[in-house]
Amino acid sequence: MSTQKKTVVCGAGGFIGGHLIADLRRQGHTQLRAVDVKPLNEWFQKFDDVENVVLDLQEKEACEKALEGCSLVYNLAADMGGMGFIEANKALCMLTVLINTHLLLAAKKHGVERFFYSSSACVYAAGKQVDPNLTALKEEDAYPAMAEDGYGWEKLFSERMCRHFTEDFGITTRVARYHNVYGPEGTYDGGREKAPAAICRKVIQAKLSGKHEIEIWGDGHQTRSFQYIDDCVIGTQKITHSENVTMPINLGSSEMVTINQLVDIAEEIAGLKLKRSHNLKAPKGVNGRNSDNTLILKLLGWEPSISLKSGLEKTYRWIYDDITAKA
């Protein structure tokens, strides 16, 4: 798609949206509209040469305003966070369905050429994720449906909405199922942070305070894969512009680790060892989740490749600098 056509990033004040806007600017896109519900001073990244708009995209009229005159839409907007947030705010997560519904209606009204929706690995059936040593999740494992309560069900429903807007109204939609995206310029405290950022913050705080202890949610044996933000941004655009990725597709690293191993890597980066305690009552999500990348390799000849150690080191350094700058 031409760099001169209007592109809208919804959720641009957030972590992934901010990095996507930054990358589009680097590529020479000059017609960019960034939309988020947060006040501008709370955006993770903001650029003066971009049309920055504050709108509540749960409202139909706001979505129509956001998409007016645009050709391409990236919908990354959602009320979400890490496991602690989504387990305690199921209704808020479900209400995000209003965003995608109203954006799709606005896309139909304005004749949008292409519409990307950011889904999640939380759509996958819970019964496929009970064993930490699981077989990596293939796209078909979302059905028969038993998604993560609240957040996962909203994502699965919105995937279907995209499919039917394509079938019934001819809007070209693309859907990626994100697996645990992390990196600099994101949330690392306050309750919405995800595991890599939370672990980095806890290790940094232990290092700075001299109290070499860390609390881990769950027994630490639960497994995940973690995708560095640069891979996510590249994959999002590859999927969006592809002609053959017509179904929801995994976008995640296939490098699976336990949460205990994630802590090991953060400790190695920090150069210290911590006394560990495990909070078995804290939210921990499913026992095992990993991305099967067979389909994305087949259709795009590409998959996320940045190692967890490399990405976590960059994330750790950014969080460390941010914490110490605010001290």
Side-chain angles (χ1 to χ4, degrees):
M1 184 160 298
S2 169
T3 58
Q4 302 305 309
K5 288 191 174 184
K6 178 73 78 174
T7 296
V8 180
V9 176
C10 300
F15 168 51
I16 300 174
H19 280 278
L20 178 58
I21 285 284
D23 190 63
L24 291 169
R25 288 176 68 253
R26 283 192 290 268
Q27 294 176 44
H29 287 263
T30 57
Q31 298 297 312
L32 294 173
R33 180 179 295 151
V35 184
D36 204 284
V37 70
K38 294 187 291 293
L40 288 172
N41 63 354
E42 294 181 12
W43 290 24
F44 290 118
Q45 297 187 68
K46 181 172 69 71
F47 304 96
D48 292 337
D49 58 350
V50 172
E51 181 188 357
N52 299 307
V53 184
V54 176
L55 290 169
D56 183 355
L57 295 176
Q58 291 192 16
E59 303 293 335
K60 184 172 182 287
E61 294 77 12
C63 290
E64 291 179 355
K65 182 177 180 180
L67 269 55
E68 186 175 3
C70 77
S71 299
L72 171 62
V73 177
Y74 290 97
N75 178 18
L76 309 175
D79 198 349
M80 58 84 68
M83 188 52 59
F85 178 83
I86 66 176
E87 285 201 4
N89 296 277
K90 294 183 177 68
L92 285 179
C93 291
M94 289 294 287
L95 284 171
T96 296
V97 74
L98 295 172
I99 297 175
N100 201 55
T101 301
H102 290 146
L103 282 174
L104 281 168
L105 286 169
K108 175 177 176 286
K109 178 178 180 177
H110 291 308
V112 165
E113 294 178 24
R114 194 159 291 221
F115 185 101
F116 171 86
Y117 176 66
S118 59
S119 186
S120 165
C122 290
V123 303
Y124 284 113
K128 300 278 189 178
Q129 303 173 82
V130 295
D131 186 349
N133 300 306
L134 83 165
T135 301
L137 295 162
K138 291 182 167 64
E139 283 74 8
E140 58 264 31
D141 289 331
Y143 296 94
M146 186 51 67
E148 185 92 43
D149 201 10
Y151 179 71
W153 276 108
E154 185 278 320
K155 289 295 187 183
L156 193 62
F157 177 85
S158 292
E159 285 188 6
R160 303 294 287 195
M161 182 80 78
C162 288
R163 170 180 169 175
H164 297 313
F165 265 70
T166 296
E167 294 171 343
D168 294 357
F169 305 123
I171 299 172
T172 300
T173 60
R174 296 290 182 263
V175 176
R177 291 174 179 162
Y178 288 166
H179 288 248
N180 290 312
V181 186
Y182 73 99
E185 304 287 350
T187 300
Y188 60 82
D189 61 8
R192 290 180 183 258
E193 69 276 14
K194 295 191 175 183
I199 295 299
C200 285
R201 184 200 77 238
K202 290 179 179 181
V203 171
I204 290 165
Q205 289 173 337
K207 184 180 181 73
L208 293 175
S209 69
K211 188 177 180 181
H212 291 180
E213 299 176 357
I214 187 170
E215 180 186 86
I216 299 170
W217 287 9
D219 61 13
H221 297 303
Q222 62 269 38
T223 52
R224 295 290 188 275
S225 64
F226 299 100
Q227 174 186 201
Y228 190 63
I229 183 62
D230 290 2
D231 275 336
C232 179
V233 167
I234 292 169
T236 293
Q237 292 173 79
K238 284 180 176 290
I239 290 165
T240 299
H241 294 293
S242 69
E243 295 305 322
N244 57 350
V245 181
T246 57
M247 71 298 289
I249 191 168
N250 281 333
L251 181 53
S253 170
S254 59
E255 181 188 355
M256 187 174 76
V257 295
T258 66
I259 298 301
N260 284 330
Q261 288 171 328
L262 178 64
V263 176
D264 290 341
I265 297 171
E267 287 179 334
E268 182 181 347
I269 293 167
L272 79 169
K273 295 293 291 183
L274 303 177
K275 180 182 178 181
R276 303 181 185 187
S277 62
H278 292 86
N279 185 349
L280 301 182
K281 295 183 179 180
K284 71 179 186 69
V286 296
N287 289 326
R289 179 180 291 156
N290 191 21
S291 178
D292 185 306
N293 288 346
T294 303
L295 187 59
I296 196 169
L297 279 167
K298 176 183 177 182
L299 296 180
L300 297 181
W302 175 91
E303 68 173 324
S305 60
I306 297 171
S307 71
L308 179 56
K309 184 174 181 181
S310 172
L312 198 68
E313 182 162 9
K314 295 175 184 176
T315 306
Y316 179 97
R317 301 300 176 199
W318 180 83
I319 295 174
Y320 184 92
D321 289 345
D322 199 58
I323 288 175
T324 53
K326 293 174 179 176

